[in-house]
Amino acid sequence: MKAQPPRAGDSRPTHSPTSPVDRFRRDDDPDWHWLERRDDPRVTAFLEATNAEAKAWFAPLEDLTERLYHGHLARRELAVHGLPTALDHYTVWSETAAEADHPVWWRHPNGEPKAREAFLDLEARAAGHAFFEVGDMALSPDEAWLAWTEDTQGDETFGLWLKRLPDGAPVSLLEAIGPELCWAEDGITLLFTRYDATLRPDSIWRLPLALGDAPTAGTPALMLREEDPEFFLGLGKTRSRDWLLLESASKDTSEVHLVPAGAPDTPPRRFRARERGVEYALDHRPGHFYLLHNREAPHFCLDRVDEATPEAEPERLIAHREDTTLEGIDAFAWGLVITERDHHQAQEHLRVLELDDRHATGRDERLPLSETPCSLALGEAPHFDDRRLRLHEESFTLPVTWTELDLDSGRRRRLKQQPVHGDLRPDQLACERLWATGHDGEHIPVSVVMRADLAGHPLPTLLYGYGAYGEVLDPWFSVARLELLARGVAFAVAHVRGGGDRGEPWYLAGKLEHKTNSFRDFLAARDALVEKGFSDGERIVAYGASAGGLLVGASLNLAPDRFCAAVLDVPFVDVLRTMENPDLPLTTAEYSEWGNPQDPAVRRRIRDYSPLDNLPDRPWPPVFLQGSWHDMRVPYWEPAKLYARLTELARARGDASPGPILLRTDLEAGHGGASGRFKAWHDNARQDAFILWALGVENREA
């Protein structure tokens, strides 16, 4: 297949005679590394020029972009009322007005719904900021005070704020800290994290508070510092409220320190010393710790440890299994909720384990699924003794649904489901799971959703991929996606190795020396969609964001003619140069994911797949690259360099009809893009307009 050429009547030039590449090219820097100089005014001038070039190219698609945007708005409930959650004293929920980007938080005393009162207006706090994002919100144990962190730049550094509820004036306590917060049970101490120079949360601090009419903060006291640059620190508290958890973890090793929640000035006690390659997590019921770990159990197992004598021999509750990965534990007064993943089905399950006073198992069952594949997760559960569980469920055809499960009666009650409006209803969609055969015979799950009336026909297709860090792409419902599906486009997900879709082995088989499995799996997924009749082989667009941009970029280098276009959003494409610079944010913490290039063998391995270092002699298909100026995870210069070098390669080859190579940089956002929902939806509509153009269906109406 050839990259899609400009169609008849499409008079837009693919390269302007005065393109940014011509205007800003430097003979002494053919690799465009000068773009890394953030303070150089030529850098912002270059990005503004590429934005102007992209805007000009998109001009004929502006009407389509607006139709997609307004079609999306018409399909969703714009005024959103969050699901109320009853805490000890108050019931809290959020409400987002139809015209607002951010919610207002409300509460009422339990059992008194008429006594409602607003206690935090995030729409008002966002006013005047081009970017606004809340990192964390934490209510004091008596629910009289609210602490929160907010980022107004997009660079993932946060300020700490405090207010008396409901209407006290917000007080700024600290600046330039991490997002996480946790109240100690003494009600006058906040825990927070700070960053090192590479934006790694390397320390946990406690902040004493004087709470009164004019609240003030004392001097922060260091609780724990992590010196190893591969480890991140995080905060937690057991649902029993007995213990604060100070967690230190790299990509493959973890360690937990414990502090009594009611005595936060107690020196942290390490639960288990770290062992390279051993990960563990803790939860607690009075008298017992529950230890989820992979020591001599690569897919994880679950042990019970006596709280009074944690050094004693543990009791094995769930043994290691070859076909299942244990992913998480949630402890309650009555027992445990276990999250586990079936390797064969690539499906997550919730398992309820009820335990009596002698720790004998009285109930052990998996909760049923409404369909497969789907996503099922435990929702908010603030009460340790609650026997009614909130469940969060969704799929490619099931809108987000919250259900309450009564453990005593077994009854399920639907609490809320995401409303969907318009002519394409969820029950008019069809989802199938197929299995592609990889280069080494491995079976790769591929999910595809389409209009049910078009099933059985080869469709223009958007193929989505990620595949890194063990993260999973469990099914998720998207209202915005309906605009593509309504126009006859299929949406497919390649669950490649390197993700966690088939458990821990799936992750390990796509990292470090096995990373190229991810790229080959993505191509195998693409071919299976064609061979099994789901997709039109001439009309498949690839999409990847962040490490998914690496996946798609490396796949395009291997087989650029297998796709008619690609969208790379904040793509991690300059892998080798980034990993060779330990001063960049997050680099050292990534060594256990990609490898440390100080080792010559590792350097060669990364060099052999890093997208920017392996651009082929053959042309890429049309590509839309997106970056963010304040992105601390994938710097703006990675997509910018790729844009410049792809453009120069196309010129050097003398491509007769090169597809557009477009770069758009959001100069106000960070890694996650726009913080306001309306701007984010409009950005998505622009992206979808490019996809529909590339698939040749931009004139189809929904």
Side-chain angles (χ1 to χ4, degrees):
M1 190 193 85
K2 304 298 182 187
Q4 179 173 302
R7 294 184 296 282
D10 191 347
S11 59
R12 287 169 290 184
T14 54
H15 297 300
S16 164
T18 58
S19 77
V21 169
D22 291 326
R23 290 164 50 197
F24 290 90
R25 185 181 187 280
R26 288 177 43 172
D27 292 337
D28 63 337
D29 189 0
D31 293 325
W32 292 77
H33 294 322
W34 68 270
L35 288 172
E36 298 175 9
R37 301 172 186 167
R38 184 184 291 269
D39 296 331
D40 187 336
R42 291 175 299 173
V43 171
T44 51
F46 173 79
L47 297 177
E48 289 168 349
T50 61
N51 283 353
E53 179 186 57
K55 183 177 181 180
W57 188 91
F58 272 102
L61 295 179
E62 185 173 342
D63 181 64
L64 173 60
T65 299
E66 292 304 310
R67 293 201 309 275
L68 290 166
Y69 173 64
H70 289 286
H72 173 201
L73 298 186
R75 294 184 189 276
R76 70 182 307 128
E77 196 86 355
L78 293 177
V80 180
H81 192 294
L83 192 62
T85 298
L87 306 177
D88 289 344
H89 308 290
Y90 289 88
T91 295
V92 301
W93 72 98
S94 66
E95 293 182 13
T96 306
E99 70 283 356
D101 277 313
H102 304 276
V104 176
W105 281 88
W106 292 79
R107 72 175 190 174
H108 66 69
N110 289 341
E112 302 179 39
K114 292 184 179 179
R116 51 180 272 154
E117 54 193 7
F119 66 87
L120 184 64
D121 187 341
L122 294 177
E123 181 74 357
R125 292 198 63 78
H129 298 291
F131 183 95
F132 180 85
E133 185 173 76
V134 170
D136 201 359
M137 294 172 56
L139 283 165
S140 61
D142 62 2
E143 300 168 28
W145 295 84
L146 176 72
W148 72 97
T149 54
E150 59 185 47
D151 171 14
T152 56
Q153 287 283 74
D155 59 0
E156 299 186 53
T157 59
F158 293 80
L160 171 60
W161 292 79
L162 177 74
K163 68 173 292 186
R164 184 200 291 271
L165 300 186
D167 53 8
V171 177
S172 175
L173 298 181
L174 294 171
E175 296 182 352
I177 66 169
E180 288 189 275
L181 290 177
C182 185
W183 283 89
E185 287 297 304
D186 65 356
I188 56 170
T189 304
L190 272 173
L191 275 63
F192 67 94
T193 61
R194 277 183 167 147
Y195 294 134
D196 67 5
T198 65
L199 284 184
R200 175 180 67 94
D202 74 328
S203 56
I204 295 175
W205 302 73
R206 67 173 184 271
L207 183 68
L209 302 173
L211 301 178
D213 293 337
T216 59
T219 302
L222 178 67
M223 298 180 72
L224 184 67
R225 185 179 297 280
E226 177 55 70
E227 301 292 351
D228 191 321
E230 293 191 37
F231 283 73
F232 283 53
L233 290 178
L235 291 171
K237 182 163 57 175
T238 60
R239 186 177 283 106
S240 66
R241 300 189 183 181
D242 287 346
W243 294 97
L244 300 169
L245 304 176
L246 282 53
E247 301 166 313
S248 182
S250 71
K251 299 297 182 182
D252 63 2
T253 305
S254 63
E255 183 177 72
V256 178
H257 288 76
L258 298 169
V259 175
D265 55 347
T266 305
R269 171 168 61 89
R270 185 170 59 187
F271 184 81
R272 289 280 191 277
R274 70 184 63 172
E275 299 177 63
R276 192 70 184 178
V278 174
E279 299 174 82
Y280 71 87
L282 284 179
D283 211 334
H284 172 260
R285 295 170 70 224
H288 313 280
F289 287 113
Y290 297 89
L291 178 64
L292 184 71
H293 68 93
N294 64 346
R295 190 174 189 271
E296 299 179 352
H299 308 158
F300 291 83
C301 60
L302 181 64
D303 292 345
R304 180 183 69 84
V305 180
D306 187 79
E307 183 175 12
T309 57
E311 68 282 353
E313 187 70 19
E315 174 193 357
R316 181 63 45 90
L317 293 181
I318 300 179
H320 177 264
R321 291 165 289 172
E322 290 297 333
D323 61 353
T324 304
T325 292
L326 286 177
E327 293 188 334
I329 50 171
D330 286 275
F332 291 84
W334 46 261
L336 307 171
V337 176
I338 310 293
T339 303
E340 55 188 20
R341 183 169 299 274
D342 184 294
H343 297 172
H344 301 303
Q345 296 180 342
Q347 175 63 55
E348 186 177 54
H349 294 271
L350 291 183
R351 178 178 172 186
V352 172
L353 198 67
E354 290 200 49
L355 305 169
D356 65 17
D357 293 341
R358 297 183 303 276
H359 229 77
T361 301
R363 175 182 188 177
D364 184 356
E365 66 172 305
R366 275 185 172 181
L367 299 183
L369 303 171
S370 60
E371 61 181 87
T372 56
C374 74
S375 298
L376 178 65
L378 184 66
E380 217 171 344
H383 294 120
F384 186 54
D385 58 354
D386 203 338
R387 294 185 58 81
R388 290 179 295 177
L389 301 180
R390 281 191 177 178
L391 305 177
H392 173 282
E393 192 169 11
E394 64 181 308
S395 75
F396 291 119
T397 61
L398 175 69
V400 176
T401 303
W402 290 267
T403 303
E404 182 182 82
L405 170 65
D406 189 316
L407 291 176
D408 295 319
S409 67
R411 287 194 299 268
R412 287 187 181 231
R413 179 170 68 97
R414 179 177 288 184
L415 301 174
K416 181 180 174 64
Q417 185 174 65
Q418 178 185 16
V420 179
H421 303 293
D423 56 345
L424 184 59
R425 311 297 299 165
D427 60 7
Q428 295 174 297
L429 303 177
C431 177
E432 296 198 37
R433 168 69 62 79
L434 58 140
W435 296 83
T437 301
H439 66 283
D440 55 359
E442 183 60 87
H443 292 155
I444 301 105
V446 185
S447 301
V448 58
V449 59
M450 70 218 85
R451 276 172 32 192
D453 62 320
L454 297 178
H457 301 281
L459 301 176
T461 300
L462 175 62
L463 178 60
Y464 185 105
Y466 186 64
Y469 308 114
E471 298 293 330
V472 298
L473 289 176
D474 280 332
W476 73 99
F477 191 83
S478 167
V479 175
R481 187 191 303 142
L482 296 175
E483 289 300 303
L484 297 179
L485 300 181
R487 289 167 169 81
V489 175
F491 176 82
V493 175
H495 304 277
V496 305
R497 281 173 280 187
D501 303 78
R502 295 187 66 189
E504 190 71 6
W506 203 244
Y507 169 46
L508 299 177
K511 66 179 289 192
L512 295 173
E513 67 270 21
H514 306 298
K515 187 60 203 171
T516 56
N517 283 337
S518 300
F519 318 140
R520 294 185 177 187
D521 288 356
F522 191 73
L523 295 173
R526 179 261 176 216
D527 291 346
L529 287 165
V530 176
E531 292 162 5
K532 297 178 186 293
F534 290 93
S535 300
D536 177 349
E538 298 292 314
R539 295 190 293 172
I540 301 178
V541 172
Y543 176 93
S546 193
L550 161 61
L551 173 73
V552 171
S555 299
L556 289 172
N557 283 345
L558 292 171
D561 58 348
R562 305 272 269 283
F563 301 94
C564 68
V567 176
L568 278 70
D569 190 11
V570 291
F572 181 35
V573 288
D574 202 2
V575 184
L576 179 59
R577 185 171 172 86
T578 293
M579 295 307 299
E580 286 183 321
N581 187 350
D583 295 329
L584 286 176
L586 310 182
T587 291
T588 53
E590 301 282 282
Y591 286 157
S592 55
E593 182 71 31
W594 316 106
N596 186 341
Q598 292 179 6
D599 180 333
V602 172
R603 187 184 190 281
R604 286 193 298 271
R605 186 175 75 220
I606 297 175
R607 168 65 177 77
D608 287 345
Y609 68 72
S610 178
L612 265 175
D613 296 299
N614 292 277
L615 296 176
D617 291 335
R618 295 172 292 167
W620 270 30
V623 60
F624 180 29
L625 302 166
Q626 300 177 95
S628 291
W629 178 251
H630 294 291
D631 193 338
M632 296 293 106
R633 296 175 183 265
V634 179
Y636 67 87
W637 60 72
E638 296 208 24
K641 287 186 197 178
L642 181 57
Y643 158 85
R645 288 164 67 173
L646 283 173
T647 301
E648 288 196 317
L649 285 172
R651 299 272 184 84
R653 283 190 302 265
D655 295 345
S657 299
I661 301 165
L662 303 170
L663 171 66
R664 183 179 182 276
T665 306
D666 191 325
L667 298 174
E668 297 175 337
H671 190 65
S675 60
R677 58 177 184 160
F678 289 99
K679 185 175 185 296
W681 291 338
H682 200 277
D683 289 347
N684 188 81
R686 182 190 304 106
Q687 177 179 283
D688 284 353
F690 175 85
I691 291 166
L692 292 172
W693 169 84
L695 293 172
V697 295
E698 73 270 33
N699 293 321
R700 287 187 189 175
E701 290 301 318

